[in-house]
Every structure is written in C-alpha cells, then in structure tokens.
Amino acid sequence: LGSLPPGTPGECWFHELCAGADAFAARVKPHLQGEPLGAIDLDLTLEPFRLTGRLPLGMPAALVHYRYADVRAKDLLRAWIHHLCLGIGAGDRYPGRCVVLGKDSGYALGPVEGAESFLLGLLELYWQGLMRPLHFFPETARVYIASLLKGKTGEEALKAAGRTWSSDRGYSEGQDPYFHLCFGEADPLGEEFRELADAVLRPLLERAQEEG
C-alpha cells in the first residue's frame, strides 16, 4: 500500500497516476477562483435539535468538495448536509451553490427550497440511529434511488441495488461484517431499506446536476 512496483511497470504506473492527477487538478481549478470566503460558526435550532459547528463558506462561486477518487454516496451526503446547513444558517454570505468533484464525475447543487425540512428529517434519522441500527447502506441505496429516478420499476431498482449489495467486483456493502453483526440473516433490502433510501437520498439525487 502506498508503493509502486519496481522497474518499468512502476515507472509507467507513476506516469499514469501523474497524468490522472494533473487532469483532475485542471477540472478542479476553475471552481477555486477568487479568495476563500472563510468560515462561519453555525448555531441552528430545529426543534427539538440544536446544531452547532464551524463550516467553510467555500469560494465566491460555490462551496467545493473534491477528492481524487470516485464520487461515493458518502461524499454526496457530506456535501448535501453542509449545503443544507449553510443555506439555512449563513444567509447571503453563502454562495448558495455546492459542487462535488471526483475522479470519475462531478455534481452541483443549487439553492434548496424547504432545506429546514430536509435537514430536520436527517437529524431525526440520526437520532434513531443512535438508539438502533438502521437499514441504510449508502452505496446500495444510491443505486436503488438512481434507478427509480431513471424510470425503472421498483422491482428493477431493487434488482440493481441487490447487484451492488452483493457485487463480487471489489468490496461491497454486503461484505461488511458490521452489517452482518447488526442485521444477521434479515433481508437487508426490505421495506425499511427502501423507506430510508427514499427519505435520505431522493431529495439529494433529485437535485444533483452533473458537473464537469
């Protein structure tokens, strides 16, 4: 881990990595123009919750999240939560736009009507999750909701989610020992999974536009 093969294979791999990193940097650079807007200390009250913390306001054009890796559901969720919080608590100091860039793709989020309701819903689920394990598996849920948004039937979307859950191409959420510990042999993609996927990811994926 963190090392290259010796000799010519390692040299070729190194040049390939450099080329990929340079191309990614070129994609990110236009989104980082201007002076950073600094950070804001948020103090939001969404009964019965109070949410406090410091978040960056981003650049003049957008709050930019970027990582030289494939965009994962966790990346989108982190950006979504930051975007909602800043949209509610930062007023005109926040550009109102959030960009998520990865090696494979990019997404943009604009101003969100009803942001308080979406954030409160996430806080309520977080509170439930502190008391019991929830059937929410981010990557599998992302495939499920994305399939529905593309017009697939519920059955087709579940099949696509099932292939992601049990994929044998690298690591999949179905291999996670903690999920097995929490849920045993219960159907991982049952009614609770579908409801949680819809509540958490549908508002996000409906609003995420592809970004170069």
Side-chain angles (χ1 to χ4, degrees):
L1 183 65
S3 61
L4 296 172
T8 301
E11 185 177 348
C12 292
W13 196 354
F14 174 76
H15 288 303
E16 183 178 340
L17 290 172
C18 288
D22 288 343
F24 180 67
R27 284 180 54 221
V28 173
K29 186 177 179 179
H31 299 279
L32 301 179
Q33 301 301 311
E35 292 295 323
L37 300 178
I40 187 171
D41 292 314
L42 290 172
D43 190 344
L44 304 178
T45 299
L46 297 170
E47 294 292 348
F49 302 100
R50 182 183 179 190
L51 189 61
T52 63
R54 172 170 289 190
L55 287 177
L57 290 163
M59 306 302 292
L63 172 66
V64 185
H65 287 246
Y66 59 91
R67 189 166 69 93
Y68 186 53
D70 294 343
V71 174
R72 310 292 289 175
K74 66 179 182 181
D75 301 316
L76 291 171
L77 279 169
R78 183 183 298 111
W80 173 241
I81 292 170
H82 289 181
H83 184 54
L84 293 176
C85 289
L86 291 170
I88 297 167
D92 292 339
R93 293 184 61 189
Y94 179 53
R97 188 168 184 269
C98 179
V99 174
V100 183
L101 298 173
K103 184 171 66 173
D104 62 332
S105 57
Y107 302 89
L109 296 162
V112 180
E113 185 176 348
E116 293 88 348
S117 177
F118 292 134
L119 185 57
L120 179 58
L122 292 174
L123 287 169
E124 289 171 342
L125 290 174
Y126 172 75
W127 190 252
Q128 291 180 35
L130 293 177
M131 295 180 282
R132 67 178 181 86
L134 301 179
H135 281 74
F136 179 69
F137 319 111
E139 286 302 323
T140 305
R142 178 186 179 184
V143 170
Y144 173 67
I145 295 300
S147 298
L148 290 176
L149 293 177
K150 291 177 182 177
K152 301 295 185 181
T153 66
E155 183 178 352
E156 291 170 335
L158 270 180
K159 286 182 179 179
R163 289 192 293 270
T164 298
W165 172 261
S166 59
S167 174
D168 57 3
R169 294 187 297 176
Y171 178 80
S172 69
E173 289 174 323
Q175 300 169 17
D176 193 311
Y178 295 104
F179 289 151
H180 286 286
L181 179 64
C182 288
F183 305 116
E185 299 302 319
D187 180 10
L189 308 186
E191 182 178 357
E192 182 179 333
F193 162 79
R194 298 192 296 272
E195 291 177 351
L196 288 171
D198 195 77
V200 175
L201 286 181
R202 181 181 287 273
L204 162 58
L205 296 181
E206 284 181 334
R207 292 162 176 78
Q209 303 295 319
E210 291 189 5
E211 178 77 14

PDB file of all heavy atoms in Angstrom, residues 109-143:
ATOM      1  N   LEU A 109     -25.118  21.342  -6.737  1.00  0.00           N
ATOM      2  CA  LEU A 109     -26.373  21.562  -6.030  1.00  0.00           C
ATOM      3  C   LEU A 109     -26.629  23.053  -5.945  1.00  0.00           C
ATOM      4  O   LEU A 109     -25.727  23.820  -5.586  1.00  0.00           O
ATOM      5  CB  LEU A 109     -26.310  20.981  -4.616  1.00  0.00           C
ATOM      6  CG  LEU A 109     -26.141  19.469  -4.498  1.00  0.00           C
ATOM      7  CD1 LEU A 109     -25.649  19.100  -3.099  1.00  0.00           C
ATOM      8  CD2 LEU A 109     -27.470  18.779  -4.793  1.00  0.00           C
ATOM      9  N   GLY A 110     -27.853  23.463  -6.268  1.00  0.00           N
ATOM     10  CA  GLY A 110     -28.237  24.857  -6.163  1.00  0.00           C
ATOM     11  C   GLY A 110     -29.034  25.112  -4.896  1.00  0.00           C
ATOM     12  O   GLY A 110     -29.145  24.242  -4.022  1.00  0.00           O
ATOM     13  N   PRO A 111     -29.612  26.313  -4.771  1.00  0.00           N
ATOM     14  CA  PRO A 111     -30.428  26.634  -3.600  1.00  0.00           C
ATOM     15  C   PRO A 111     -31.551  25.609  -3.425  1.00  0.00           C
ATOM     16  O   PRO A 111     -32.148  25.152  -4.400  1.00  0.00           O
ATOM     17  CB  PRO A 111     -30.982  28.022  -3.921  1.00  0.00           C
ATOM     18  CG  PRO A 111     -29.973  28.608  -4.868  1.00  0.00           C
ATOM     19  CD  PRO A 111     -29.481  27.460  -5.689  1.00  0.00           C
ATOM     20  N   VAL A 112     -31.832  25.256  -2.175  1.00  0.00           N
ATOM     21  CA  VAL A 112     -32.807  24.202  -1.870  1.00  0.00           C
ATOM     22  C   VAL A 112     -34.007  24.794  -1.150  1.00  0.00           C
ATOM     23  O   VAL A 112     -33.882  25.300  -0.024  1.00  0.00           O
ATOM     24  CB  VAL A 112     -32.169  23.109  -0.989  1.00  0.00           C
ATOM     25  CG1 VAL A 112     -33.187  22.013  -0.676  1.00  0.00           C
ATOM     26  CG2 VAL A 112     -30.945  22.521  -1.682  1.00  0.00           C
ATOM     27  N   GLU A 113     -35.147  24.737  -1.783  1.00  0.00           N
ATOM     28  CA  GLU A 113     -36.382  25.151  -1.121  1.00  0.00           C
ATOM     29  C   GLU A 113     -36.794  24.074  -0.119  1.00  0.00           C
ATOM     30  O   GLU A 113     -36.766  22.884  -0.428  1.00  0.00           O
ATOM     31  CB  GLU A 113     -37.491  25.344  -2.167  1.00  0.00           C
ATOM     32  CG  GLU A 113     -38.771  25.890  -1.592  1.00  0.00           C
ATOM     33  CD  GLU A 113     -39.819  26.159  -2.666  1.00  0.00           C
ATOM     34  OE1 GLU A 113     -39.467  26.137  -3.857  1.00  0.00           O
ATOM     35  OE2 GLU A 113     -40.989  26.408  -2.298  1.00  0.00           O
ATOM     36  N   GLY A 114     -37.151  24.483   1.083  1.00  0.00           N
ATOM     37  CA  GLY A 114     -37.531  23.522   2.115  1.00  0.00           C
ATOM     38  C   GLY A 114     -36.338  22.869   2.790  1.00  0.00           C
ATOM     39  O   GLY A 114     -36.445  21.753   3.298  1.00  0.00           O
ATOM     40  N   ALA A 115     -35.189  23.563   2.807  1.00  0.00           N
ATOM     41  CA  ALA A 115     -33.965  22.985   3.381  1.00  0.00           C
ATOM     42  C   ALA A 115     -34.155  22.606   4.842  1.00  0.00           C
ATOM     43  O   ALA A 115     -33.628  21.582   5.297  1.00  0.00           O
ATOM     44  CB  ALA A 115     -32.811  23.975   3.246  1.00  0.00           C
ATOM     45  N   GLU A 116     -34.910  23.412   5.596  1.00  0.00           N
ATOM     46  CA  GLU A 116     -35.122  23.109   7.013  1.00  0.00           C
ATOM     47  C   GLU A 116     -35.791  21.761   7.205  1.00  0.00           C
ATOM     48  O   GLU A 116     -35.416  20.977   8.078  1.00  0.00           O
ATOM     49  CB  GLU A 116     -35.966  24.202   7.676  1.00  0.00           C
ATOM     50  CG  GLU A 116     -35.291  25.552   7.783  1.00  0.00           C
ATOM     51  CD  GLU A 116     -35.531  26.404   6.543  1.00  0.00           C
ATOM     52  OE1 GLU A 116     -36.022  25.864   5.515  1.00  0.00           O
ATOM     53  OE2 GLU A 116     -35.201  27.610   6.600  1.00  0.00           O
ATOM     54  N   SER A 117     -36.774  21.467   6.364  1.00  0.00           N
ATOM     55  CA  SER A 117     -37.485  20.195   6.470  1.00  0.00           C
ATOM     56  C   SER A 117     -36.572  19.018   6.160  1.00  0.00           C
ATOM     57  O   SER A 117     -36.595  17.998   6.864  1.00  0.00           O
ATOM     58  CB  SER A 117     -38.688  20.193   5.514  1.00  0.00           C
ATOM     59  OG  SER A 117     -39.353  18.952   5.548  1.00  0.00           O
ATOM     60  N   PHE A 118     -35.743  19.144   5.133  1.00  0.00           N
ATOM     61  CA  PHE A 118     -34.824  18.053   4.776  1.00  0.00           C
ATOM     62  C   PHE A 118     -33.800  17.818   5.885  1.00  0.00           C
ATOM     63  O   PHE A 118     -33.502  16.677   6.237  1.00  0.00           O
ATOM     64  CB  PHE A 118     -34.106  18.364   3.466  1.00  0.00           C
ATOM     65  CG  PHE A 118     -35.010  18.370   2.260  1.00  0.00           C
ATOM     66  CD1 PHE A 118     -34.945  19.390   1.332  1.00  0.00           C
ATOM     67  CD2 PHE A 118     -35.914  17.344   2.051  1.00  0.00           C
ATOM     68  CE1 PHE A 118     -35.775  19.404   0.218  1.00  0.00           C
ATOM     69  CE2 PHE A 118     -36.759  17.336   0.943  1.00  0.00           C
ATOM     70  CZ  PHE A 118     -36.685  18.372   0.023  1.00  0.00           C
ATOM     71  N   LEU A 119     -33.248  18.906   6.428  1.00  0.00           N
ATOM     72  CA  LEU A 119     -32.245  18.758   7.473  1.00  0.00           C
ATOM     73  C   LEU A 119     -32.855  18.182   8.748  1.00  0.00           C
ATOM     74  O   LEU A 119     -32.259  17.319   9.399  1.00  0.00           O
ATOM     75  CB  LEU A 119     -31.588  20.110   7.761  1.00  0.00           C
ATOM     76  CG  LEU A 119     -30.429  20.088   8.760  1.00  0.00           C
ATOM     77  CD1 LEU A 119     -29.330  19.124   8.315  1.00  0.00           C
ATOM     78  CD2 LEU A 119     -29.848  21.498   8.932  1.00  0.00           C
ATOM     79  N   LEU A 120     -34.049  18.620   9.081  1.00  0.00           N
ATOM     80  CA  LEU A 120     -34.719  18.071  10.258  1.00  0.00           C
ATOM     81  C   LEU A 120     -34.970  16.582  10.086  1.00  0.00           C
ATOM     82  O   LEU A 120     -34.792  15.793  11.028  1.00  0.00           O
ATOM     83  CB  LEU A 120     -36.038  18.809  10.503  1.00  0.00           C
ATOM     84  CG  LEU A 120     -36.865  18.332  11.702  1.00  0.00           C
ATOM     85  CD1 LEU A 120     -36.078  18.424  13.001  1.00  0.00           C
ATOM     86  CD2 LEU A 120     -38.162  19.124  11.795  1.00  0.00           C
ATOM     87  N   GLY A 121     -35.376  16.165   8.901  1.00  0.00           N
ATOM     88  CA  GLY A 121     -35.593  14.744   8.646  1.00  0.00           C
ATOM     89  C   GLY A 121     -34.326  13.930   8.839  1.00  0.00           C
ATOM     90  O   GLY A 121     -34.351  12.834   9.409  1.00  0.00           O
ATOM     91  N   LEU A 122     -33.186  14.469   8.391  1.00  0.00           N
ATOM     92  CA  LEU A 122     -31.911  13.774   8.574  1.00  0.00           C
ATOM     93  C   LEU A 122     -31.524  13.703  10.053  1.00  0.00           C
ATOM     94  O   LEU A 122     -31.008  12.687  10.518  1.00  0.00           O
ATOM     95  CB  LEU A 122     -30.811  14.483   7.779  1.00  0.00           C
ATOM     96  CG  LEU A 122     -30.928  14.408   6.252  1.00  0.00           C
ATOM     97  CD1 LEU A 122     -29.859  15.264   5.589  1.00  0.00           C
ATOM     98  CD2 LEU A 122     -30.822  12.972   5.760  1.00  0.00           C
ATOM     99  N   LEU A 123     -31.782  14.768  10.784  1.00  0.00           N
ATOM    100  CA  LEU A 123     -31.478  14.765  12.217  1.00  0.00           C
ATOM    101  C   LEU A 123     -32.331  13.744  12.960  1.00  0.00           C
ATOM    102  O   LEU A 123     -31.846  13.057  13.868  1.00  0.00           O
ATOM    103  CB  LEU A 123     -31.709  16.166  12.796  1.00  0.00           C
ATOM    104  CG  LEU A 123     -30.664  17.217  12.429  1.00  0.00           C
ATOM    105  CD1 LEU A 123     -31.151  18.611  12.823  1.00  0.00           C
ATOM    106  CD2 LEU A 123     -29.332  16.921  13.097  1.00  0.00           C
ATOM    107  N   GLU A 124     -33.569  13.636  12.577  1.00  0.00           N
ATOM    108  CA  GLU A 124     -34.454  12.650  13.219  1.00  0.00           C
ATOM    109  C   GLU A 124     -33.970  11.228  12.958  1.00  0.00           C
ATOM    110  O   GLU A 124     -33.971  10.371  13.855  1.00  0.00           O
ATOM    111  CB  GLU A 124     -35.885  12.835  12.725  1.00  0.00           C
ATOM    112  CG  GLU A 124     -36.528  14.111  13.251  1.00  0.00           C
ATOM    113  CD  GLU A 124     -37.865  14.403  12.594  1.00  0.00           C
ATOM    114  OE1 GLU A 124     -38.134  13.829  11.498  1.00  0.00           O
ATOM    115  OE2 GLU A 124     -38.638  15.202  13.146  1.00  0.00           O
ATOM    116  N   LEU A 125     -33.526  10.962  11.741  1.00  0.00           N
ATOM    117  CA  LEU A 125     -32.989   9.633  11.433  1.00  0.00           C
ATOM    118  C   LEU A 125     -31.672   9.386  12.164  1.00  0.00           C
ATOM    119  O   LEU A 125     -31.417   8.268  12.633  1.00  0.00           O
ATOM    120  CB  LEU A 125     -32.793   9.488   9.920  1.00  0.00           C
ATOM    121  CG  LEU A 125     -34.072   9.405   9.093  1.00  0.00           C
ATOM    122  CD1 LEU A 125     -33.747   9.416   7.606  1.00  0.00           C
ATOM    123  CD2 LEU A 125     -34.867   8.156   9.445  1.00  0.00           C
ATOM    124  N   TYR A 126     -30.850  10.407  12.256  1.00  0.00           N
ATOM    125  CA  TYR A 126     -29.600  10.276  13.013  1.00  0.00           C
ATOM    126  C   TYR A 126     -29.907   9.920  14.467  1.00  0.00           C
ATOM    127  O   TYR A 126     -29.248   9.055  15.055  1.00  0.00           O
ATOM    128  CB  TYR A 126     -28.824  11.583  12.934  1.00  0.00           C
ATOM    129  CG  TYR A 126     -27.603  11.628  13.829  1.00  0.00           C
ATOM    130  CD1 TYR A 126     -26.442  10.938  13.500  1.00  0.00           C
ATOM    131  CD2 TYR A 126     -27.630  12.367  15.011  1.00  0.00           C
ATOM    132  CE1 TYR A 126     -25.328  10.975  14.329  1.00  0.00           C
ATOM    133  CE2 TYR A 126     -26.520  12.407  15.846  1.00  0.00           C
ATOM    134  CZ  TYR A 126     -25.377  11.716  15.496  1.00  0.00           C
ATOM    135  OH  TYR A 126     -24.283  11.751  16.328  1.00  0.00           O
ATOM    136  N   TRP A 127     -30.905  10.558  15.052  1.00  0.00           N
ATOM    137  CA  TRP A 127     -31.277  10.281  16.439  1.00  0.00           C
ATOM    138  C   TRP A 127     -31.762   8.833  16.584  1.00  0.00           C
ATOM    139  O   TRP A 127     -31.411   8.153  17.545  1.00  0.00           O
ATOM    140  CB  TRP A 127     -32.348  11.256  16.886  1.00  0.00           C
ATOM    141  CG  TRP A 127     -32.636  11.201  18.360  1.00  0.00           C
ATOM    142  CD1 TRP A 127     -33.738  10.690  18.978  1.00  0.00           C
ATOM    143  CD2 TRP A 127     -31.792  11.672  19.410  1.00  0.00           C
ATOM    144  NE1 TRP A 127     -33.650  10.809  20.334  1.00  0.00           N
ATOM    145  CE2 TRP A 127     -32.459  11.408  20.637  1.00  0.00           C
ATOM    146  CE3 TRP A 127     -30.544  12.288  19.441  1.00  0.00           C
ATOM    147  CZ2 TRP A 127     -31.900  11.740  21.867  1.00  0.00           C
ATOM    148  CZ3 TRP A 127     -29.996  12.621  20.670  1.00  0.00           C
ATOM    149  CH2 TRP A 127     -30.678  12.336  21.861  1.00  0.00           C
ATOM    150  N   GLN A 128     -32.554   8.380  15.626  1.00  0.00           N
ATOM    151  CA  GLN A 128     -32.994   6.977  15.655  1.00  0.00           C
ATOM    152  C   GLN A 128     -31.788   6.032  15.567  1.00  0.00           C
ATOM    153  O   GLN A 128     -31.737   5.005  16.244  1.00  0.00           O
ATOM    154  CB  GLN A 128     -33.939   6.696  14.496  1.00  0.00           C
ATOM    155  CG  GLN A 128     -35.286   7.368  14.592  1.00  0.00           C
ATOM    156  CD  GLN A 128     -36.170   7.037  13.403  1.00  0.00           C
ATOM    157  OE1 GLN A 128     -36.128   5.929  12.873  1.00  0.00           O
ATOM    158  NE2 GLN A 128     -36.960   8.002  12.956  1.00  0.00           N
ATOM    159  N   GLY A 129     -30.830   6.406  14.725  1.00  0.00           N
ATOM    160  CA  GLY A 129     -29.651   5.567  14.543  1.00  0.00           C
ATOM    161  C   GLY A 129     -28.772   5.470  15.770  1.00  0.00           C
ATOM    162  O   GLY A 129     -27.978   4.534  15.890  1.00  0.00           O
ATOM    163  N   LEU A 130     -28.890   6.423  16.673  1.00  0.00           N
ATOM    164  CA  LEU A 130     -28.154   6.344  17.931  1.00  0.00           C
ATOM    165  C   LEU A 130     -28.763   5.326  18.885  1.00  0.00           C
ATOM    166  O   LEU A 130     -28.118   4.900  19.841  1.00  0.00           O
ATOM    167  CB  LEU A 130     -28.113   7.717  18.609  1.00  0.00           C
ATOM    168  CG  LEU A 130     -27.311   8.809  17.896  1.00  0.00           C
ATOM    169  CD1 LEU A 130     -27.443  10.122  18.651  1.00  0.00           C
ATOM    170  CD2 LEU A 130     -25.850   8.417  17.768  1.00  0.00           C
ATOM    171  N   MET A 131     -30.000   4.938  18.614  1.00  0.00           N
ATOM    172  CA  MET A 131     -30.706   4.016  19.505  1.00  0.00           C
ATOM    173  C   MET A 131     -30.819   2.611  18.939  1.00  0.00           C
ATOM    174  O   MET A 131     -30.976   1.648  19.693  1.00  0.00           O
ATOM    175  CB  MET A 131     -32.109   4.577  19.814  1.00  0.00           C
ATOM    176  CG  MET A 131     -32.063   5.888  20.612  1.00  0.00           C
ATOM    177  SD  MET A 131     -33.700   6.546  20.980  1.00  0.00           S
ATOM    178  CE  MET A 131     -34.127   7.291  19.390  1.00  0.00           C
ATOM    179  N   ARG A 132     -30.750   2.463  17.603  1.00  0.00           N
ATOM    180  CA  ARG A 132     -30.829   1.145  16.986  1.00  0.00           C
ATOM    181  C   ARG A 132     -30.209   1.204  15.601  1.00  0.00           C
ATOM    182  O   ARG A 132     -30.196   2.265  14.974  1.00  0.00           O
ATOM    183  CB  ARG A 132     -32.276   0.662  16.889  1.00  0.00           C
ATOM    184  CG  ARG A 132     -33.140   1.475  15.930  1.00  0.00           C
ATOM    185  CD  ARG A 132     -34.551   0.929  15.831  1.00  0.00           C
ATOM    186  NE  ARG A 132     -35.355   1.692  14.898  1.00  0.00           N
ATOM    187  CZ  ARG A 132     -35.406   1.465  13.582  1.00  0.00           C
ATOM    188  NH1 ARG A 132     -34.696   0.468  13.067  1.00  0.00           N
ATOM    189  NH2 ARG A 132     -36.171   2.202  12.796  1.00  0.00           N
ATOM    190  N   PRO A 133     -29.690   0.095  15.097  1.00  0.00           N
ATOM    191  CA  PRO A 133     -29.136   0.089  13.739  1.00  0.00           C
ATOM    192  C   PRO A 133     -30.236   0.304  12.699  1.00  0.00           C
ATOM    193  O   PRO A 133     -31.334  -0.250  12.824  1.00  0.00           O
ATOM    194  CB  PRO A 133     -28.527  -1.312  13.604  1.00  0.00           C
ATOM    195  CG  PRO A 133     -28.393  -1.824  14.988  1.00  0.00           C
ATOM    196  CD  PRO A 133     -29.505  -1.206  15.772  1.00  0.00           C
ATOM    197  N   LEU A 134     -29.942   1.116  11.738  1.00  0.00           N
ATOM    198  CA  LEU A 134     -30.891   1.387  10.658  1.00  0.00           C
ATOM    199  C   LEU A 134     -30.451   0.678   9.377  1.00  0.00           C
ATOM    200  O   LEU A 134     -29.265   0.600   9.073  1.00  0.00           O
ATOM    201  CB  LEU A 134     -30.983   2.892  10.391  1.00  0.00           C
ATOM    202  CG  LEU A 134     -31.412   3.778  11.563  1.00  0.00           C
ATOM    203  CD1 LEU A 134     -31.439   5.244  11.129  1.00  0.00           C
ATOM    204  CD2 LEU A 134     -32.777   3.369  12.097  1.00  0.00           C
ATOM    205  N   HIS A 135     -31.438   0.206   8.623  1.00  0.00           N
ATOM    206  CA  HIS A 135     -31.148  -0.475   7.346  1.00  0.00           C
ATOM    207  C   HIS A 135     -30.851   0.565   6.253  1.00  0.00           C
ATOM    208  O   HIS A 135     -31.583   0.710   5.275  1.00  0.00           O
ATOM    209  CB  HIS A 135     -32.344  -1.335   6.919  1.00  0.00           C
ATOM    210  CG  HIS A 135     -32.435  -2.640   7.631  1.00  0.00           C
ATOM    211  ND1 HIS A 135     -32.835  -2.756   8.946  1.00  0.00           N
ATOM    212  CD2 HIS A 135     -32.170  -3.896   7.220  1.00  0.00           C
ATOM    213  CE1 HIS A 135     -32.828  -4.024   9.306  1.00  0.00           C
ATOM    214  NE2 HIS A 135     -32.415  -4.735   8.282  1.00  0.00           N
ATOM    215  N   PHE A 136     -29.773   1.287   6.448  1.00  0.00           N
ATOM    216  CA  PHE A 136     -29.367   2.257   5.436  1.00  0.00           C
ATOM    217  C   PHE A 136     -27.940   1.951   5.016  1.00  0.00           C
ATOM    218  O   PHE A 136     -27.020   1.993   5.827  1.00  0.00           O
ATOM    219  CB  PHE A 136     -29.454   3.688   5.962  1.00  0.00           C
ATOM    220  CG  PHE A 136     -29.026   4.710   4.942  1.00  0.00           C
ATOM    221  CD1 PHE A 136     -29.801   4.952   3.822  1.00  0.00           C
ATOM    222  CD2 PHE A 136     -27.831   5.410   5.088  1.00  0.00           C
ATOM    223  CE1 PHE A 136     -29.408   5.874   2.857  1.00  0.00           C
ATOM    224  CE2 PHE A 136     -27.423   6.324   4.134  1.00  0.00           C
ATOM    225  CZ  PHE A 136     -28.223   6.553   3.021  1.00  0.00           C
ATOM    226  N   PHE A 137     -27.782   1.644   3.736  1.00  0.00           N
ATOM    227  CA  PHE A 137     -26.487   1.282   3.167  1.00  0.00           C
ATOM    228  C   PHE A 137     -26.245   2.250   2.007  1.00  0.00           C
ATOM    229  O   PHE A 137     -26.869   2.108   0.944  1.00  0.00           O
ATOM    230  CB  PHE A 137     -26.504  -0.169   2.696  1.00  0.00           C
ATOM    231  CG  PHE A 137     -27.216  -1.089   3.660  1.00  0.00           C
ATOM    232  CD1 PHE A 137     -28.433  -1.665   3.321  1.00  0.00           C
ATOM    233  CD2 PHE A 137     -26.688  -1.332   4.916  1.00  0.00           C
ATOM    234  CE1 PHE A 137     -29.101  -2.503   4.195  1.00  0.00           C
ATOM    235  CE2 PHE A 137     -27.350  -2.166   5.820  1.00  0.00           C
ATOM    236  CZ  PHE A 137     -28.556  -2.757   5.460  1.00  0.00           C
ATOM    237  N   PRO A 138     -25.390   3.257   2.178  1.00  0.00           N
ATOM    238  CA  PRO A 138     -25.335   4.395   1.263  1.00  0.00           C
ATOM    239  C   PRO A 138     -25.178   4.053  -0.213  1.00  0.00           C
ATOM    240  O   PRO A 138     -25.942   4.552  -1.051  1.00  0.00           O
ATOM    241  CB  PRO A 138     -24.132   5.203   1.778  1.00  0.00           C
ATOM    242  CG  PRO A 138     -24.041   4.841   3.222  1.00  0.00           C
ATOM    243  CD  PRO A 138     -24.472   3.406   3.314  1.00  0.00           C
ATOM    244  N   GLU A 139     -24.192   3.214  -0.552  1.00  0.00           N
ATOM    245  CA  GLU A 139     -23.960   2.941  -1.968  1.00  0.00           C
ATOM    246  C   GLU A 139     -25.108   2.139  -2.582  1.00  0.00           C
ATOM    247  O   GLU A 139     -25.542   2.397  -3.709  1.00  0.00           O
ATOM    248  CB  GLU A 139     -22.637   2.198  -2.153  1.00  0.00           C
ATOM    249  CG  GLU A 139     -21.412   3.058  -1.967  1.00  0.00           C
ATOM    250  CD  GLU A 139     -21.373   4.253  -2.904  1.00  0.00           C
ATOM    251  OE1 GLU A 139     -21.806   4.118  -4.066  1.00  0.00           O
ATOM    252  OE2 GLU A 139     -20.924   5.323  -2.474  1.00  0.00           O
ATOM    253  N   THR A 140     -25.593   1.149  -1.844  1.00  0.00           N
ATOM    254  CA  THR A 140     -26.710   0.343  -2.339  1.00  0.00           C
ATOM    255  C   THR A 140     -27.952   1.211  -2.476  1.00  0.00           C
ATOM    256  O   THR A 140     -28.700   1.103  -3.465  1.00  0.00           O
ATOM    257  CB  THR A 140     -26.975  -0.830  -1.379  1.00  0.00           C
ATOM    258  OG1 THR A 140     -25.756  -1.570  -1.209  1.00  0.00           O
ATOM    259  CG2 THR A 140     -28.037  -1.754  -1.921  1.00  0.00           C
ATOM    260  N   ALA A 141     -28.178   2.084  -1.502  1.00  0.00           N
ATOM    261  CA  ALA A 141     -29.336   2.983  -1.555  1.00  0.00           C
ATOM    262  C   ALA A 141     -29.217   3.958  -2.716  1.00  0.00           C
ATOM    263  O   ALA A 141     -30.218   4.296  -3.367  1.00  0.00           O
ATOM    264  CB  ALA A 141     -29.458   3.738  -0.235  1.00  0.00           C
ATOM    265  N   ARG A 142     -28.003   4.407  -2.994  1.00  0.00           N
ATOM    266  CA  ARG A 142     -27.810   5.333  -4.115  1.00  0.00           C
ATOM    267  C   ARG A 142     -28.207   4.676  -5.431  1.00  0.00           C
ATOM    268  O   ARG A 142     -28.875   5.295  -6.266  1.00  0.00           O
ATOM    269  CB  ARG A 142     -26.349   5.777  -4.153  1.00  0.00           C
ATOM    270  CG  ARG A 142     -26.004   6.703  -5.305  1.00  0.00           C
ATOM    271  CD  ARG A 142     -24.503   6.954  -5.329  1.00  0.00           C
ATOM    272  NE  ARG A 142     -24.116   7.827  -6.429  1.00  0.00           N
ATOM    273  CZ  ARG A 142     -22.866   8.143  -6.736  1.00  0.00           C
ATOM    274  NH1 ARG A 142     -21.874   7.653  -6.005  1.00  0.00           N
ATOM    275  NH2 ARG A 142     -22.588   8.932  -7.751  1.00  0.00           N
ATOM    276  N   VAL A 143     -27.803   3.435  -5.631  1.00  0.00           N
ATOM    277  CA  VAL A 143     -28.160   2.729  -6.860  1.00  0.00           C
ATOM    278  C   VAL A 143     -29.672   2.533  -6.945  1.00  0.00           C
ATOM    279  O   VAL A 143     -30.276   2.704  -8.019  1.00  0.00           O
ATOM    280  CB  VAL A 143     -27.427   1.374  -6.923  1.00  0.00           C
ATOM    281  CG1 VAL A 143     -27.960   0.507  -8.053  1.00  0.00           C
ATOM    282  CG2 VAL A 143     -25.932   1.591  -7.083  1.00  0.00           C
TER     283      VAL A 143
END
